[in-house]
């Protein structure tokens, strides 16, 4: 059995990977590129599980070697489940990748990481709300404090044996008719991960064009006929990005709530409040500059 760890850079993937695999970790390279490929074993389930730490990525579009190797690995059919690590202190940005992972037919479990940091700031996590909105299991964890790691592995283990079909943020939008027509073509052709591939064809994605040139042309034809009026013209990548963020802010952002009674100011916000003050800002600036020159030249 194989689990893939996927998430944005700095979401805590390596911390989680190290906590799960300990001394079994092994670092190699992805074929053909100099991107680290970390694998290791997790031994606390009835079956041995190989954990593959994918590179940190923001999308599955082929803009960087990291994104390409991650996408190829996910679509290869190798992973039995994706464990998507989401930084709960940066929820909306991290869920952007989640909406893309959910387009594949691979089972997904969301690990809502940095629960300790959110709670320390007086915020609260609502994994059950996120699970309901996304339709996949969500477990709040802290990779750093080793909290709930076995629970998220167990959820992944169970999800691996439940077949899943990809879902797409376009389902409740004016783009639905176009999306469904394109999806029908991919389904009829018997393609794997049809939702993911349909979205990529609509976006005009190069790798998908290479994979299925004929279908790609037919989807381009559907776009010419049936594109709803919008601000992006025929830039479907722009449309998708906009629709993903609209979906996230409308349906998902309530999964983490900040402390009641306004946000606590961070240290740098407090410093900004004084140093960039409307009246005192310039005098403070001049005093600091004078002090710097004085120290330098005297
Ligand atoms: P990666 O880029 O996804 O591999 O992220 P890392 O594992 O390198 O973690 C990035 C930073 O987040 C490091 O400073 C970690 O110590 C920190 N971090 C990871 N997990 C947690 C967590 O659960 N709670 C807190 N507070 N910090 C974490
Ligand atoms: Mg890392």
């Amino acid at each position: 059995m194989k689990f893939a760890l996927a998430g944005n850079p700095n979401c805590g993937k390596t911390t989680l990977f190290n906590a799960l695999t300990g001394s079994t970790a092994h670092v190699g390279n992805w074929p053909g590129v100099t991107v680290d490929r970390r694998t290791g074993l997790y031994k606390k389930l009835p079956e041995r599980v190989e954990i593959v730490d994918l590179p940190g990525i923001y999308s599955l579009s082929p803009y960087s070697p990291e994104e390409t190797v991650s996408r190829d690995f996910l679509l290869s059919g190798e992973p039995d489940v994706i464990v998507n690590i989401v930084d709960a202190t940066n929820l909306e940005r991290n869920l952007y990748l989640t909406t893309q992972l959910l387009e594949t037919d691979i089972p997904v479990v969301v690990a809502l990481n940095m629960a300790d940091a959110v709670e320390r700031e007086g915020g609260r996590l609502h994994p059950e709300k996120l699970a309901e909105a996304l339709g996949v299991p969500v477990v709040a964890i802290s990779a750093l404090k080793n909290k709930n790691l076995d629970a998220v592995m167990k959820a992944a283990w169970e999800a691996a044996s439940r077949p899943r079909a990809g879902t797409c943020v376009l389902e409740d939008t004016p783009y639905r008719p176009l999306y469904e027509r394109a999806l029908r073509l991919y389904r009829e052709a018997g393609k794997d991960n049809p939702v993911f591939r349909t979205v990529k064809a609509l976006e005009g994605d190069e790798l998908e064009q290479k994979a299925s040139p004929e279908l790609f042309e037919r989807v381009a034809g559907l776009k010419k006929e049936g594109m709803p009026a919008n601000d992006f013209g025929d830039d479907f990548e722009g449309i998708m990005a906009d629709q993903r963020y609209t979906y996230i802010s409308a349906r998902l952002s309530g999964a983490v709530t900040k402390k009641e009674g306004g946000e606590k100011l961070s240290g740098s916000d407090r410093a900004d409040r004084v140093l960039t003050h409307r009246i005192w800002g310039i005098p403070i600036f001049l005093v600091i500059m004078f002090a710097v020159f004085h120290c330098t030249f005297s």
Side-chain angles (χ1 to χ4, degrees), residues 8-16 53 113-117 120 141-145:
N8 286 180
N10 285 320
C11 66
K13 248 165 2 70
T14 302
T15 309
L16 178 62
D53 185 20
N113 192 29
M114 314 229 184
D116 61 306
R120 196 174 53 229
I141 69 164
S142 169
L144 193 64
K145 307 255 145 98

Side-chain angles (χ1 to χ4, degrees), residues 114-136:
M114 314 229 184
D116 61 306
V118 171
E119 281 158 11
R120 196 174 53 229
E121 300 275 312
R124 286 196 56 189
L125 299 170
H126 307 279
E128 67 298 334
K129 275 194 194 164
L130 193 57
E132 197 190 324
L134 296 175
V136 298

Side-chain angles (χ1 to χ4, degrees), residues 3-9 11-14 16 51-60 70-71 73-74 81-87 94 97-98 101 108-111:
F3 292 5
L5 302 186
N8 286 180
C11 66
K13 248 165 2 70
T14 302
L16 178 62
I51 312 260
V52 181
D53 185 20
L54 295 178
I57 48 172
Y58 296 108
S59 91
L60 294 173
S70 300
R71 169 169 163 167
F73 180 67
L74 293 176
V81 54
I82 300 170
V83 178
N84 173 208
I85 298 121
V86 167
D87 173 359
N94 275 248
L97 177 67
T98 308
L101 297 171
V108 175
V109 170
V110 172

Side-chain angles (χ1 to χ4, degrees), residues 161-227:
S161 55
R162 283 195 303 268
R164 190 181 156 268
T167 54
C168 178
V169 298
L170 296 179
E171 280 157 20
D172 271 337
T173 69
Y175 300 93
R176 180 176 179 161
L178 170 60
Y179 160 73
E180 287 190 337
R181 254 175 265 143
L183 180 58
R184 201 169 310 133
L185 295 181
Y186 267 85
R187 288 239 161 91
E188 280 165 6
K191 294 288 174 189
D192 66 287
N193 297 290
V195 171
F196 180 83
R197 292 184 183 283
T198 298
V199 171
K200 286 290 165 267
L202 285 166
E203 287 179 343
D205 173 277
E206 277 170 40
L207 294 181
E208 188 48 41
Q209 183 174 22
K210 269 190 213 135
S212 314
E214 273 178 38
L215 280 174
F216 188 88
E217 283 310 311
R218 290 173 70 189
V219 170
L222 290 177
K223 267 166 73 178
K224 280 209 188 86
E225 293 160 21
M227 183 76 106

Side-chain angles (χ1 to χ4, degrees), residues 23-284:
S23 61
T24 67
H26 175 84
V27 186
N29 263 348
W30 292 90
V33 284
T34 54
V35 175
D36 280 355
R37 186 184 203 273
R38 273 166 221 279
T39 57
L41 295 173
Y42 179 75
K43 298 177 181 165
K44 294 196 208 161
L45 287 166
E47 193 179 328
R48 269 187 174 208
V49 172
E50 186 183 356
I51 312 260
V52 181
D53 185 20
L54 295 178
I57 48 172
Y58 296 108
S59 91
L60 294 173
S61 300
Y63 297 127
S64 67
E66 284 80 5
E67 288 165 346
T68 308
V69 296
S70 300
R71 169 169 163 167
D72 287 348
F73 180 67
L74 293 176
L75 296 184
S76 69
E78 274 187 66
D80 296 285
V81 54
I82 300 170
V83 178
N84 173 208
I85 298 121
V86 167
D87 173 359
T89 65
N90 232 321
L91 187 68
E92 304 207 357
R93 178 148 59 88
N94 275 248
L95 288 173
Y96 187 76
L97 177 67
T98 308
T99 62
Q100 301 174 59
L101 297 171
L102 288 172
E103 286 165 6
T104 70
D105 286 348
I106 309 165
V108 175
V109 170
V110 172
L112 201 53
N113 192 29
M114 314 229 184
D116 61 306
V118 171
E119 281 158 11
R120 196 174 53 229
E121 300 275 312
R124 286 196 56 189
L125 299 170
H126 307 279
E128 67 298 334
K129 275 194 194 164
L130 193 57
E132 197 190 324
L134 296 175
V136 298
V138 178
V139 181
I141 69 164
S142 169
L144 193 64
K145 307 255 145 98
N146 243 302
K147 220 184 99 205
N148 263 356
L149 305 193
D150 293 332
V152 75
M153 286 295 106
K154 184 158 175 282
W157 166 261
E158 286 164 2
S161 55
R162 283 195 303 268
R164 190 181 156 268
T167 54
C168 178
V169 298
L170 296 179
E171 280 157 20
D172 271 337
T173 69
Y175 300 93
R176 180 176 179 161
L178 170 60
Y179 160 73
E180 287 190 337
R181 254 175 265 143
L183 180 58
R184 201 169 310 133
L185 295 181
Y186 267 85
R187 288 239 161 91
E188 280 165 6
K191 294 288 174 189
D192 66 287
N193 297 290
V195 171
F196 180 83
R197 292 184 183 283
T198 298
V199 171
K200 286 290 165 267
L202 285 166
E203 287 179 343
D205 173 277
E206 277 170 40
L207 294 181
E208 188 48 41
Q209 183 174 22
K210 269 190 213 135
S212 314
E214 273 178 38
L215 280 174
F216 188 88
E217 283 310 311
R218 290 173 70 189
V219 170
L222 290 177
K223 267 166 73 178
K224 280 209 188 86
E225 293 160 21
M227 183 76 106
N230 71 81
D231 296 338
F232 295 88
D234 64 354
D235 171 16
F236 213 91
E237 269 199 275
I239 292 172
M240 270 320 287
D242 184 48
Q243 292 299 324
R244 289 186 203 284
Y245 277 119
T246 304
Y247 181 91
I248 291 167
S249 53
R251 303 187 43 185
L252 308 178
S253 50
V256 174
T257 43
K258 301 254 164 76
K259 190 179 174 175
E260 307 246 328
E263 280 173 46
K264 214 172 95 192
L265 288 180
S266 70
S268 70
D269 285 339
R270 272 197 300 269
D272 276 353
R273 211 173 243 201
V274 178
L275 297 176
T276 64
H277 187 271
R278 212 151 46 91
I279 296 161
W280 299 113
I282 299 281
I284 291 172

